[in-house]
C-alpha cells in the first residue's frame, strides 16, 4: 500500500487522500461493503469498531460504535447518499447519540470514496469535507489515534487565549 | 472548557462553535481572512475589494474578530486588521492529524489484504 496523494484545503475544510492497493476494484470495494472487514480497519487497535447495521444503499444507514480500552463505547452513524459498486460510495458521517439516533445540531462530514483502476490494482481516494473548523476538530478528536495529545494541548492553549 | 482523552470530543462552548461556523460560512469573510494572511490591512483597503459598503465590510470584520480569526487595532484614524494565524495553523494541524488517521486506516486495509496472499 502506498499513499500517493494528499490534498489539504484548510479554506474549504477538505482533505483528499489517495492510496494504491494491489487488488482489483471488486476486492477493494469489499473493504467497505463487508462490515466484518470494515471492523478490521475503521478503528485503531486501541478503539476497535463494531458495525451493528450496514445498509449500503442510497438512503440506508450504517451504524457502528468504537470501544475504548476502558470499555466505554462511542457510537457513530453514516447516512448513505450514493452507492455505485465497486466504484463510488458517498455518505454523511454523523455523531450518534447513545441510543443510535443522529445527534441534533452536531456536525456532519461528507465522505466520498472512489475506487479507480490502475496497472496492478486500484487507487482508492477518500475525500472528507467538514462543515466548519470547530466541527473538524471535534470529529478528528473523536477518531483520533495515539499521538493526538500534543495537538489537543495546542488547541486548548489557543482557545484559552480569550 | 476543553477536555480530551483519546476518544472524547473536544468540548467547545456552543457559542464558539456557532461563531466559527458563521465566520467561515461566508465567501467575503473567507476572502478577508485570505487577504490578511498576506499582512495587516486597513479596513478601507479591504473594502475596496468588495462590491459593498464600508459598513458591510466592517460588519464582516467584526464577525471574524468575534470568531477569533482576526484582530483589529486602531492606527491613527484607521482600523487595521490582521490575521490570527494561529487559527489557520490550527486548521492545518487538524487536517494533518486527519491525514494521519487515514494513513493508519490504509495501513490496516493493506494488512487485511496482504493476509489473503494473491489477488482474490
Amino acid at each position: 500500500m502506498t499513499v500517493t496523494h494528499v490534498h489539504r484545503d484548510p479554506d474549504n475544510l477538505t482533505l483528499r487522500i489517495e492510496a494504491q492497493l494491489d487488488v482489483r476494484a471488486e476486492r477493494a470495494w469489499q473493504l467497505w461493503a463487508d462490515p466484518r472487514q470494515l471492523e478490521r480497519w475503521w478503528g485503531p487497535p486501541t478503539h476497535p469498531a463494531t458495525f451493528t447495521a450496514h445498509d449500503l444503499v442510497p438512503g440506508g444507514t450504517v451504524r457502528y460504535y468504537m470501544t475504548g480500552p476502558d470499555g466505554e463505547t462511542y457510537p457513530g452513524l453514516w447516512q448513505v447518499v450514493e452507492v455505485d459498486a465497486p466504484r463510488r460510495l458517498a455518505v454523511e458521517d454523523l455523531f450518534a447519540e447513545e441510543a443510535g439516533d443522529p445527534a441534533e445540531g452536531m456536525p456532519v462530514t461528507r465522505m466520498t470514496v472512489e475506487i479507480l483502476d490502475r496497472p496492478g490494482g486500484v487507487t482508492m481516494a477518500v475525500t472528507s469535507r467538514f462543515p466548519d473548523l470547530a466541527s473538524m476538530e471535534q470529529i478528528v478528536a473523536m477518531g483520533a489515534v495515539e499521538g493526538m495529545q500534543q495537538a489537543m494541548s495546542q488547541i486548548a492553549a489557543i482557545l484559552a487565549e480569550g | 472548557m476543553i477536555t480530551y482523552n483519546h476518544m472524547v470530543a473536544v468540548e467547545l462552548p456552543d457559542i464558539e462553535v456557532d461563531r466559527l461556523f458563521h465566520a467561515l460560512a461566508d465567501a467575503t469573510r473567507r476572502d478577508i481572512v485570505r487577504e490578511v494572511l498576506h499582512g495587516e490591512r486597513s479596513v478601507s483597503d479591504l473594502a475596496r475589494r468588495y462590491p459593498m459598503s464600508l459598513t458591510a465590510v466592517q460588519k464582516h470584520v467584526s464577525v471574524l474578530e468575534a470568531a477569533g480569526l482576526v484582530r483589529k487595532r486602531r492606527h491613527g484614524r484607521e482600523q487595521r486588521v490582521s490575521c490570527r494565524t494561529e487559527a489557520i495553523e490550527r486548521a492545518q494541524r487538524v487536517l494533518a492529524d486527519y491525514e494521519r488517521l487515514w494513513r493508519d486506516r490504509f495501513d490496516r486495509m493493506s494488512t487485511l489484504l496482504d493476509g489473503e496472499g494473491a489477488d482474490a
Side-chain angles (χ1 to χ4, degrees):
Chain A
M1 188 281 299
T2 313
V3 171
T4 52
H5 180 81
V6 178
H7 180 68
R8 290 181 215 160
D9 186 344
D11 284 344
N12 291 309
L13 302 174
T14 300
L15 180 78
R16 178 185 173 92
I17 182 164
E18 294 178 11
Q20 294 187 342
L21 301 171
D22 299 332
V23 295
R24 294 202 315 263
E26 289 76 13
R27 177 65 192 88
W29 178 258
Q30 287 304 307
L31 291 167
W32 291 88
D34 178 355
R36 303 289 81 79
Q37 291 184 41
L38 264 171
E39 286 170 348
R40 293 180 58 188
W41 63 265
W42 182 256
T46 52
H47 295 81
T50 306
F51 282 79
T52 57
H54 188 273
D55 192 18
L56 222 65
V57 296
T61 300
V62 175
R63 293 176 191 276
Y64 67 94
Y65 60 90
M66 320 276 275
T67 305
D70 49 0
E72 273 199 55
T73 59
Y74 307 90
L77 178 67
W78 297 345
Q79 280 176 352
V80 180
V81 179
E82 285 179 58
V83 182
D84 181 17
R87 296 291 171 197
R88 186 177 167 86
L89 173 66
V91 305
E92 302 210 316
D93 188 357
L94 303 97
F95 287 120
E97 301 277 44
E98 276 308 320
D101 296 321
E104 282 206 25
M106 294 293 269
V108 176
T109 304
R110 174 71 162 231
M111 181 170 67
T112 305
V113 183
E114 293 161 284
I115 295 173
L116 307 135
D117 289 336
R118 62 166 181 89
V122 295
T123 297
M124 183 181 290
V126 180
T127 305
S128 291
R129 188 186 183 103
F130 300 93
D132 58 80
L133 175 59
S135 303
M136 189 166 71
E137 288 174 338
Q138 263 185 300
I139 291 161
V140 174
M142 290 289 279
V145 297
E146 302 84 43
M148 270 290 280
Q149 288 192 22
Q150 192 191 358
M152 295 313 291
S153 58
Q154 284 172 324
I155 290 168
I158 288 164
L159 292 172
E161 274 175 27
Chain B
M1 181 66 185
I2 296 157
T3 61
Y4 70 91
N5 58 29
H6 287 299
M7 289 303 295
V8 172
V10 174
E11 289 172 32
L12 298 173
D14 283 348
I15 193 162
E16 178 149 0
V17 173
D18 287 347
R19 280 177 184 155
L20 277 166
F21 186 17
H22 186 50
L24 292 171
D26 179 271
T28 302
R29 287 197 284 273
R30 288 196 298 271
D31 191 74
I32 292 170
V33 170
R34 277 191 286 267
E35 181 60 19
V36 298
L37 268 171
H38 299 305
E40 201 177 43
R41 297 282 184 273
S42 69
V43 176
S44 39
D45 282 343
L46 284 172
R48 274 187 263 282
R49 296 169 63 79
Y50 313 111
M52 61 184 70
S53 67
L54 180 65
T55 306
V57 175
Q58 284 169 335
K59 281 185 184 164
H60 282 310
V61 171
S62 293
V63 170
L64 289 170
E65 190 184 20
L69 289 163
V70 303
R71 62 170 68 82
K72 266 189 336 215
R73 69 180 183 95
R74 185 160 283 287
H75 184 83
R77 278 176 300 169
E78 280 186 334
Q79 284 276 8
R80 291 199 176 165
V81 183
S82 58
C83 191
R84 288 187 67 189
T85 53
E86 58 268 27
I88 306 305
E89 287 166 3
R90 189 170 132 202
Q92 283 281 15
R93 275 198 296 272
V94 178
L95 283 168
D97 287 323
Y98 199 63
E99 176 190 329
R100 184 168 41 178
L101 173 68
W102 273 101
R103 284 179 184 269
D104 290 344
R105 284 183 174 147
F106 280 120
D107 277 339
R108 291 191 289 273
M109 283 184 207
S110 208
T111 301
L112 174 55
L113 293 172
D114 287 349
E116 295 173 356
D119 180 18

